[in-house]
Amino acid sequence: MLQVYLVRHGETEWNAARRIQGQSDSPLTAKGLYQARQVAERVRNEGITHVITSDLGRTRHTAQIIADACGCEVINEPRLRELHMGVLEERVLDGLTGQEEIWRKQMVDGSPQGRIPEGETMTELAARMRAALDSCLQLPPGSKPLLVSHGIALGCLISTILGLPAYAERRLRLRNCSLSRVDHQQSAWLANGWIVETAGDVSHLDLPALDELQR
């Protein structure tokens, strides 16, 4: 059985300001750095062998803190990037026009062909996230990788493992530096292949963490 840990990056300046990031970037806040250290401490003794991360700054910074605790090097994986939000990247949520809010909502409300202009569909996101996860199957036997990615990206990945379409209504909350785990296994009582062991665990954090919209 292959166990793969999934971590969302720490809180960023734009998370706190309710600004859309997508594949744009902003630095971790002091709280985000603290969250990264806490999740690093949580997995320090789990036997992590590879820390693989989205190549955006907020994930790479989070990943480096985890890798330092686990004695690993950081491996960049662009397929783990967040959903591309097109023309809405860098925009403040509270300042969107009515049409822009419709575009944004289509990414989370179950619209099959939802796409922000110049951005990605959830189906496109799911394909590259699953490819990145499946690549872990090529690691040496005994590996235990940890992937650092983003809220929408990880939520989409976990939802599709559960059998939902990539564009399904978004119902999984993954807060900053939450920890999830998926396993690749064969079982008499579960579907063969990827299964979800845990999702969105924040028990290692001692302060409330944000999701994309809630404080």
Side-chain angles (χ1 to χ4, degrees):
M1 180 176 69
L2 175 67
Q3 298 177 350
V4 181
Y5 288 88
L6 308 173
V7 173
R8 185 186 171 201
H9 62 81
E11 180 188 274
T12 70
E13 292 180 359
W14 287 6
N15 288 150
R18 293 170 57 84
R19 186 181 294 272
I20 296 171
Q21 293 183 109
Q23 294 187 7
S24 302
D25 222 349
S26 71
L28 298 184
T29 62
K31 182 177 180 181
L33 291 169
Y34 181 55
Q35 291 169 333
R37 291 191 292 271
Q38 287 188 303
V39 74
E41 190 61 30
R42 164 67 178 80
V43 300
R44 178 190 295 275
N45 297 316
E46 294 294 340
I48 301 301
T49 58
H50 299 76
V51 175
I52 304 169
T53 181
S54 156
D55 61 349
L56 298 178
R58 59 192 186 271
T59 40
R60 287 191 293 108
H61 199 169
T62 303
Q64 189 62 62
I65 292 170
I66 296 170
D68 289 345
C70 296
C72 302
E73 294 185 359
V74 172
I75 302 169
N76 288 336
E77 173 51 88
R79 291 177 294 187
L80 293 174
R81 284 187 173 195
E82 181 60 292
L83 175 74
H84 197 299
M85 299 285 196
V87 298
L88 298 189
E89 297 210 356
E90 305 184 22
R91 297 289 304 281
V92 176
L93 278 167
D94 297 336
L96 299 182
T97 67
Q99 179 58 65
E100 289 169 340
E101 179 62 10
I102 290 172
W103 291 337
R104 187 194 68 79
K105 287 289 289 182
Q106 286 178 341
M107 309 313 299
V108 297
D109 68 0
S111 299
Q113 302 302 321
R115 183 196 299 269
I116 298 167
E118 302 180 21
E120 287 181 292
T121 66
M122 295 296 284
T123 300
E124 291 166 341
L125 170 65
R128 62 176 170 82
M129 288 295 293
R130 178 58 72 91
L133 178 63
D134 285 345
S135 70
C136 294
L137 297 172
Q138 307 305 315
L139 294 173
S143 295
K144 187 179 285 189
L146 181 147
L147 310 185
V148 184
S149 187
H150 307 265
I152 294 177
L154 289 172
C156 181
L157 176 63
I158 294 171
S159 293
T160 56
I161 290 173
L162 291 171
L164 296 171
Y167 54 82
E169 289 181 312
R170 191 166 179 233
R171 297 186 180 276
L172 179 61
R173 176 171 292 140
L174 298 177
R175 297 184 182 275
N176 290 124
C177 277
S178 59
L179 181 66
S180 305
R181 199 185 96 194
V182 297
D183 298 342
H184 194 274
Q185 48 90 72
Q186 294 183 341
S187 169
W189 294 103
L190 294 170
N192 290 332
W194 293 109
I195 61 98
V196 177
E197 175 70 19
T198 59
D201 180 14
V202 291
S203 61
H204 49 281
L205 303 179
D206 59 15
L207 294 172
L210 304 179
D211 66 8
E212 284 76 6
L213 295 177
Q214 293 195 338
R215 295 188 179 275

